Amino acid sequence: MKGLQTTRRRFLQSALTAGTFTLGSNLWLPQLRAQRKTQRQFMPVKVSRERLIRTVVGLRPYRSQGFVLRSDRLGEKTVIHNYGHGGAGVTLSWGVARLALEQTRDIEYRDAAVLGCGVIGLSTARLLQRRGKTVTIYARDLPPETTSNASGALWFPTSLHNPLQVGQPYMDQFRLACRLSQRAFQDLVGNEYGVRWIETFDLQEEVPVGPREIPGGAQLYPGTQIHKDARRYYGFPYVTQFSTLLIEPPVYLNALLRDYYTAGGKVSVRELRSREEIRSLPEPVIFNCTGLGARMLFDDLELIPVRGQLEVLLPQSEIDYCYLSDLGYMFPRRDGIILGGTFDRENWSLSADPDQTRSMLEAHAEVMSGLRR
């Protein structure tokens, strides 16, 4: 534990001096001073219980075999399943929605039902509307009460499958969904949708054996740099630096729902408790985007909850970077500084855990305590 605390203290303290070296001659001092003036600056996150504004708990719909994307029959209805995205629902949303629609390429229909009003359901509904379909969403909860609202929402597809339990066809589909989704998010960058590019640091305590692939493929992360033997600069021996997209769920989901209504979409607020109730819906094609609800509705016992808890601090507009590590992650959003990293399998509790709150705050405070002022 002492070693981890030391690592936390050193993280970003060294980053402030990244690229500067001890020089043996005063002849280099002018160049050194110039370098310091243009050097990347990392302002510290103010981590304290007094700045805590809320604790958020969500249940990720996780399958060790990865997400489900397939067509099924339910009586005379066609059901397209699109669920089980674990911690990557926001990241993959546009990609898996497009692939789900491809499942209906040979079906003639005008009306479609979408089950669920989280990010997967809303993305699917919007793509259906763009293809001229009349869409009704059936959901028990709407934003801001969906699981998607409890996500950290950095574009970084992790925590959605066990690499040892998926094959090449699934991985090909996964990478395609990543490419399609990331491209769609690029068109939404701006304040209206709460999407922006941000510099991110993936901090690793152990140097990987062999090449390490960034989830989804390195081509999706512009400006990628690998820092090896980087402990003296970053506090970790191996650091991957890259740019990716940060999505703010309160802004983003409200904008999607607004767009859906503007395009003539309808919402029926109701809880569907059985396949018989689903079969009774008037639409001939039904997209199942129920997330964890698919476990009960369609008897998928491989689908389990993975509980995640976020601590949200007062916003800090000067924080312009993210970090990821085994110790947790930090994302700066306009609605607050997001601290997370918990992954509790088969835990159905939506109550905040005070012990987790304390340990998370202590861990991130240790990270920031080493930041040179």
Side-chain angles (χ1 to χ4, degrees):
M1 187 66 186
K2 183 177 180 181
L4 291 178
Q5 292 175 343
T6 302
T7 297
R8 295 179 189 132
R9 282 194 294 269
R10 281 187 289 192
F11 163 60
L12 290 180
Q13 171 185 342
S14 315
L16 283 171
T17 58
T20 61
F21 298 87
T22 301
L23 303 175
S25 171
N26 290 337
L27 295 176
W28 289 95
L29 288 178
Q31 291 92 326
L32 179 59
R33 294 191 185 100
Q35 185 178 10
R36 285 173 174 168
K37 288 180 181 179
T38 60
Q39 182 176 302
R40 177 70 162 87
Q41 294 296 309
F42 294 87
M43 299 301 292
V45 176
K46 301 173 184 176
V47 182
S48 70
R49 184 171 291 274
E50 290 72 24
R51 296 184 62 84
L52 184 66
I53 55 177
R54 64 183 179 275
T55 297
V56 179
V57 177
L59 303 180
R60 306 176 183 95
Y62 177 82
R63 300 178 80 256
S64 59
Q65 301 90 341
F67 58 83
V68 174
L69 191 58
R70 71 167 188 269
S71 176
D72 202 356
R73 295 292 296 178
L74 185 61
E76 296 182 353
K77 311 288 186 182
T78 297
V79 178
I80 310 299
H81 296 289
N82 185 9
Y83 67 85
H85 305 91
V90 174
T91 295
L92 293 178
S93 54
W94 289 111
V96 293
R98 181 168 165 181
L99 294 178
L101 265 64
E102 290 300 308
Q103 300 274 332
T104 66
R105 179 187 301 176
D106 299 326
I107 302 174
E108 292 187 7
Y109 65 103
R110 183 192 66 184
D111 301 329
V114 173
L115 312 184
C117 199
V119 70
I120 301 294
L122 282 170
S123 303
T124 302
R126 287 294 294 127
L127 287 185
L128 284 164
Q129 288 179 323
R130 293 176 188 175
R131 297 191 181 186
K133 309 301 182 183
T134 299
V135 186
T136 300
I137 291 177
Y138 298 87
R140 182 189 66 184
D141 299 314
L142 307 181
E145 303 300 329
T146 69
T147 298
S148 300
N149 285 91
S151 61
L154 184 75
W155 202 97
F156 195 76
T158 59
S159 307
L160 76 156
H161 59 249
N162 182 338
L164 300 179
Q165 295 186 10
V166 296
Q168 192 60 47
Y170 168 84
M171 290 305 298
D172 291 342
Q173 186 180 61
F174 162 66
R175 293 189 182 98
L176 176 57
C178 286
R179 293 195 299 272
L180 294 172
S181 192
Q182 201 250 25
R183 179 63 187 87
F185 272 111
Q186 287 186 35
D187 290 335
L188 301 177
V189 169
N191 290 333
E192 181 181 2
Y193 290 93
V195 180
R196 73 182 190 272
W197 289 98
I198 192 164
E199 196 171 28
T200 303
F201 297 84
D202 185 12
L203 313 167
Q204 297 161 66
E205 191 60 50
E206 296 183 1
V207 177
V209 177
R212 180 177 183 274
E213 179 183 344
I214 304 179
Q219 73 277 9
L220 301 178
Y221 303 89
T224 298
Q225 301 178 51
I226 304 298
H227 305 285
K228 301 178 181 179
D229 300 322
R231 188 176 295 279
R232 64 176 293 191
Y233 305 125
Y234 295 94
F236 288 76
Y238 193 89
V239 176
T240 305
Q241 176 183 344
F242 55 88
S243 291
T244 190
L245 294 157
L246 181 62
I247 299 102
E248 303 193 22
V251 178
Y252 181 67
L253 293 170
N254 284 342
L256 283 191
L257 188 57
R258 175 208 65 202
D259 291 349
Y260 173 73
Y261 281 132
T262 300
K266 298 178 181 179
V267 173
S268 176
V269 180
R270 57 182 290 195
E271 182 176 8
L272 297 170
R273 299 178 181 273
S274 68
R275 286 192 288 272
E276 288 69 29
E277 289 185 37
I278 295 173
R279 188 184 296 126
S280 70
L281 298 178
E283 294 82 8
V285 176
I286 300 167
F287 290 83
N288 171 30
C289 307
T290 55
L292 198 55
R295 177 183 170 93
M296 181 272 292
L297 282 173
F298 293 95
D299 299 324
D300 187 348
L301 299 184
E302 300 297 327
L303 183 66
I304 65 169
V306 173
R307 181 183 175 279
Q309 181 165 313
L310 302 178
E311 307 301 332
V312 186
L313 307 178
L314 283 169
Q316 287 183 248
S317 60
E318 70 273 19
I319 304 301
D320 60 351
Y321 60 93
C322 298
Y323 65 77
L324 311 164
S325 76
D326 290 339
L327 305 177
Y329 58 75
M330 184 281 296
F331 309 152
R333 302 189 328 211
R334 284 177 294 182
D335 62 323
I337 298 290
I338 309 299
L339 306 180
T342 61
F343 196 80
D344 303 328
R345 294 171 180 268
E346 299 193 65
N347 185 338
W348 290 88
S349 175
L350 286 170
S351 299
D353 183 339
D355 291 335
Q356 278 193 341
T357 298
R358 182 174 58 255
S359 62
M360 290 171 70
L361 290 176
E362 288 175 353
H364 288 280
E366 284 290 333
V367 170
M368 288 298 112
S369 68
L371 192 64
R372 184 173 298 174
R373 302 299 192 267

